[in-house]
């Protein structure tokens, strides 16, 4: 383990392993790996060991421009296929996931520190996304409406080339989502891989190519972190690129949206969150604790819809927090290579530093530490801070780690006020025995998603997914994304004089 051990705990020891082969990848263009034009590469370090986990091509503006040309040439091929034909490719991709499972597991563990539990979660969601998008492709009808006599009609057509940008934290689930939804409607896609998981993201290109996606239907660009702005600005500026979908932090989302706005390009943004879980006085405490543990600590809390805040009624607060602390104390961070580890490393050292600072700030202002504590290197145990107040940074700042704050309230009205006193609005949850009351609370929450008596972390690609306020705009999933990836056209026909 890195750093000192937490008092009273025995951390998982990192197993002794022989040196692992470094993973390598190039840019993915026309169904094959290619080096970057300048020949440069960059390295990604394993967050558990600090050793080099992967080496990838460092794409630049010239590579981005080349990919736009390839995607434009392939657009007429893919967009002219029937929905049934596109659906067949997407379904075939879903069936191939088990064949790529070992490679995804290896690359996700080594590039992002993913546990086996989190990898399996990604597999399940990705398979559902491929099925959901296959159904969308089959149902997509370009003829939207037609007036009597056929003189006026509306049609939907693929938008064109879509730039997809997905993060590292759920590289398979969110990578597939960013790619498959625009593909379903006949668009071609340029996918900018995350700098923290280039090999994992390029594997998606190999999978879809094997599934039958035409060469050029999907290109994947990898780049060093310092070159991200260059390639994103180049791609958005290219005229054939008509749509952008971005999943990531609110800070970067504002930058992407600003660049897109300057070129009048439409964006779908799924950004940060600080999801509240409200526990009403009549809630089933055991059920609420189970959901809180899952929502707060799955993937070390590095999920946009993770349970960041628990708002609990004073009447049951002591009992609930005691039970939650007892469960959380069993979740000690360690190397996911070791059996039984459920909390892996934080993806970067900067996340660890920020989380430790949030904890120290809260404790200095009166909060009580109930489990866990500051990070040890890039490892941080499941951490609970009780008695959070508005003066603390953790009250308003997104955690994005295995850290959850407890807010004690005296009424349902106060719970709603605290939940909405936040710039983010992605997911939320309400627990209560009286479902009508719990649902009424949920109806007043300013979030794009709300779950009654279940965790804040849930994913159903058949349903609209997205947030409000600083959590972004636009929606993935189901029919809601039709407008995101197609253009609506109005066409009239007037008989010529010869026909009259």
């Amino acid at each position: 383990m890195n750093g000192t051990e937490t008092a009273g705990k025995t951390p998982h020891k990192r197993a002794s392993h022989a040196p692992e082969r470094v993973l390598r990848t190039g840019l993915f263009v026309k169904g094959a790996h290619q080096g970057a034009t300048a020949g440069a590469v960059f390295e990604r370090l394993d967050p558990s060991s600090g050793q080099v986990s992967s080496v990838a091509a460092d794409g630049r503006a010239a590579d981005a421009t080349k990919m736009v040309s390839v995607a434009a040439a392939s657009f007429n091929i893919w967009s002219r296929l029937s929905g049934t034909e596109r659906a067949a490719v997407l379904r075939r991709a879903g069936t191939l996931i088990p064949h790529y499972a070992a490679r995804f597991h290896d690359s996700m563990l080594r590039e992002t520190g993913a546990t086996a539990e989190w990898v399996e979660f990604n597999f399940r969601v990705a398979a559902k996304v491929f099925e959901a998008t296959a159904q969308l492709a089959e149902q997509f009808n370009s003829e939207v409406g037609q007036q009597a006599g056929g003189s006026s009609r509306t049609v939907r057509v693929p938008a064109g080339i879509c730039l997809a940008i997905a993060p590292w934290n759920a590289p398979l689930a969110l990578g597939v989502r960013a790619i498959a939804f625009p593909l379903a409607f006949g668009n071609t896609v340029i996918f900018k891989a995350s700098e923290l998981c280039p090999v994992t993201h390029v594997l998606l290109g190999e999978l879809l190519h094997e599934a039958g996606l035409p060469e050029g239907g999907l290109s994947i660009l990898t780049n060093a972190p310092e070159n991200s702005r260059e390639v994103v600005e180049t791609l958005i500026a290219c005229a054939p690129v008509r749509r952008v979908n971005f999943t990531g932090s609110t800070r970067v989302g504002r930058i992407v949206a600003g660049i897109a706005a300057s070129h009048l390009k439409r964006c779908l943004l799924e950004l940060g969150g600080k999801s509240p879980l409200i526990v009403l006085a009549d809630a089933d405490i055991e059920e609420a604790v189970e959901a809180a543990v899952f929502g707060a600590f799955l993937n070390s809390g590095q999920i946009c819809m993770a349970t960041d805040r628990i708002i609990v009624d004073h009447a049951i607060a002591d009992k609930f927090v005691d039970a939650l602390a007892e469960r959380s104390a069993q979740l000690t961070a360690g190397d996911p290579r070791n059996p039984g580890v459920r909390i892996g490393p934080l993806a970067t050292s900067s996340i660890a530093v920020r989380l430790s600072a949030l904890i120290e700030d809260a404790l200095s202002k009166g909060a009580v530490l109930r489990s866990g504590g500051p990070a040890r290197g890039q490892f941080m145990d499941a951490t609970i801070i009780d008695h959070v107040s508005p003066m603390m940074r953790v009250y308003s700042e997104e955690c994005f780690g295995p850290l959850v704050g407890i807010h004690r309230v005296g009424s349902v009205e106060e719970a709603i006020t605290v939940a909405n006193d936040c710039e983010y609005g992605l997911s939320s949850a309400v627990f209560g025995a009286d479902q009508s009351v719990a649902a009424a609370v949920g109806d007043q929450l300013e979030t794009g998603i709300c779950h009654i008596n279940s965790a804040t972390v849930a994913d159903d690609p058949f349903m609209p997914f997205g947030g409000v306020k600083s959590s972004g705009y636009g929606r993935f999933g189901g029919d809601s994304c039709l407008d995101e990836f197609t253009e609506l056209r109005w066409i009239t026909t007037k008989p010529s004089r010869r026909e009259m």
Side-chain angles (χ1 to χ4, degrees):
M1 300 290 290
N2 294 336
T4 59
E5 297 182 357
T6 302
K9 289 195 174 186
T10 303
H12 289 285
K13 302 295 184 181
R14 186 182 304 139
S16 176
H17 296 284
E20 296 174 312
R21 177 180 60 85
V22 174
L23 304 172
R24 296 182 183 276
T25 189
L27 311 177
F28 191 78
V29 186
K30 293 185 177 180
H33 290 262
Q34 297 182 8
T37 300
V41 297
F42 70 100
E43 297 178 341
R44 166 61 180 156
L45 302 183
D46 184 322
S48 292
S49 68
Q51 302 300 307
V52 175
S53 63
S54 59
V55 176
D58 182 12
R60 303 295 294 273
D63 302 294
T65 303
K66 177 181 178 181
M67 287 186 179
V68 172
S69 297
V70 170
S74 300
F75 177 73
N76 286 336
I77 299 172
W78 180 245
S79 64
R80 291 178 181 178
L81 294 180
S82 68
T84 301
E85 290 171 314
R86 291 198 295 270
V89 172
L90 293 167
R91 279 206 178 88
R92 172 64 175 156
T95 65
L96 286 174
I97 290 176
H99 300 279
Y100 281 74
R103 295 173 68 189
F104 276 123
H105 188 282
D106 184 44
S107 63
M108 285 179 64
L109 183 152
R110 294 167 64 182
E111 291 188 319
T112 70
T115 63
E117 178 184 26
W118 183 237
V119 175
E120 291 297 326
F121 184 94
N122 271 253
F123 287 161
R124 291 193 299 273
V125 173
K128 289 180 181 178
V129 170
F130 278 129
E131 177 56 32
T133 53
Q135 291 187 26
L136 282 174
E138 290 173 331
Q139 297 164 5
F140 177 49
N141 182 2
S142 63
E143 288 286 346
V144 179
Q146 190 164 355
Q147 287 187 357
S151 61
S152 182
R153 60 193 176 99
T154 52
V155 299
R156 282 199 175 273
V157 297
I161 300 173
C162 294
L163 168 59
I165 307 173
W168 54 268
N169 60 313
L172 181 54
L174 297 183
V176 169
R177 184 180 74 175
I179 295 166
F181 277 102
L183 285 177
F185 298 108
N187 303 288
T188 51
V189 176
I190 298 172
F191 180 42
K192 200 205 86 64
S194 169
E195 304 91 336
L196 301 190
C197 60
V199 168
T200 304
H201 274 164
V202 171
L203 271 177
L204 291 174
E206 296 183 26
L207 184 150
L208 278 156
H209 180 64
E210 184 176 342
L213 185 68
E215 292 185 5
L218 171 65
S219 298
I220 303 179
L221 190 149
T222 60
N223 62 271
E226 61 269 22
N227 297 322
S228 285
R229 180 150 192 155
E230 174 187 317
V231 298
V232 169
E233 287 184 335
T234 299
L235 288 166
I236 294 176
C238 288
V241 175
R242 298 308 310 159
R243 290 287 195 274
V244 179
N245 75 74
F246 172 84
T247 301
S249 71
T250 296
R251 180 186 65 82
V252 178
R254 293 183 195 276
I255 296 171
V256 172
I259 298 170
S262 69
H263 294 281
L264 297 180
K265 304 291 178 73
R266 180 167 174 164
C267 267
L268 189 168
L269 301 175
E270 198 262 280
L271 308 176
K274 194 169 179 63
S275 300
L277 185 152
I278 296 176
V279 186
L280 302 176
D282 66 343
D284 182 316
I285 291 179
E286 182 179 349
E287 187 179 26
V289 166
E290 187 68 27
V293 170
F294 176 81
F297 304 127
L298 181 65
N299 193 36
S300 302
Q302 297 171 127
I303 305 173
C304 58
M305 50 185 160
T307 302
D308 210 311
R309 302 175 287 155
I310 298 176
I311 303 167
V312 58
D313 193 286
H314 277 300
I316 60 168
D318 286 341
K319 187 175 181 180
F320 173 86
V321 175
D322 286 346
L324 180 63
E326 183 179 354
R327 284 290 308 279
S328 301
Q330 303 168 28
L331 298 175
T332 305
D335 189 326
R337 294 170 178 81
N338 294 325
V341 171
R342 296 187 63 194
I343 295 187
L346 299 166
T348 67
S349 59
S350 62
I351 296 175
V353 170
R354 180 178 53 78
L355 289 170
S356 295
L358 289 177
I359 294 170
E360 291 167 6
D361 173 78
L363 297 182
S364 71
K365 295 174 181 175
V368 177
L369 186 66
R370 295 301 306 267
S371 72
R376 309 177 306 279
Q378 282 183 224
F379 292 89
M380 181 173 165
D381 302 329
T383 301
I384 301 170
I385 298 177
D386 197 3
H387 298 286
V388 170
S389 66
M391 70 180 69
M392 302 170 189
R393 288 175 55 194
V394 74
Y395 181 89
S396 56
E397 294 183 27
E398 180 182 18
C399 293
F400 210 72
L403 170 62
V404 64
I406 306 294
H407 306 244
R408 297 178 180 234
V409 296
S411 66
V412 171
E413 293 74 22
E414 186 182 0
I416 295 169
T417 298
V418 171
N420 289 338
D421 185 22
C422 179
E423 72 166 302
Y424 299 102
L426 184 55
S427 186
S428 59
V430 183
F431 275 78
D434 188 328
Q435 291 189 22
S436 62
V437 172
V441 172
D443 287 344
Q444 298 176 69
L445 300 182
E446 297 168 353
T447 59
I449 303 164
C450 184
H451 304 291
I452 307 301
N453 289 326
S454 59
T456 61
V457 175
D459 210 319
D460 183 348
F462 292 91
M463 301 303 292
F465 190 100
V468 299
K469 301 196 284 190
S470 291
S471 290
Y473 47 75
R475 295 292 183 270
F476 285 102
D479 294 339
S480 62
C481 64
L482 178 66
D483 198 42
E484 305 290 348
F485 300 114
T486 64
E487 295 284 7
L488 182 62
R489 301 186 65 210
W490 175 39
I491 300 173
T492 66
T493 303
K494 178 181 179 181
S496 68
R497 293 182 178 180
R498 292 182 180 180
E499 295 176 314
M500 296 178 66

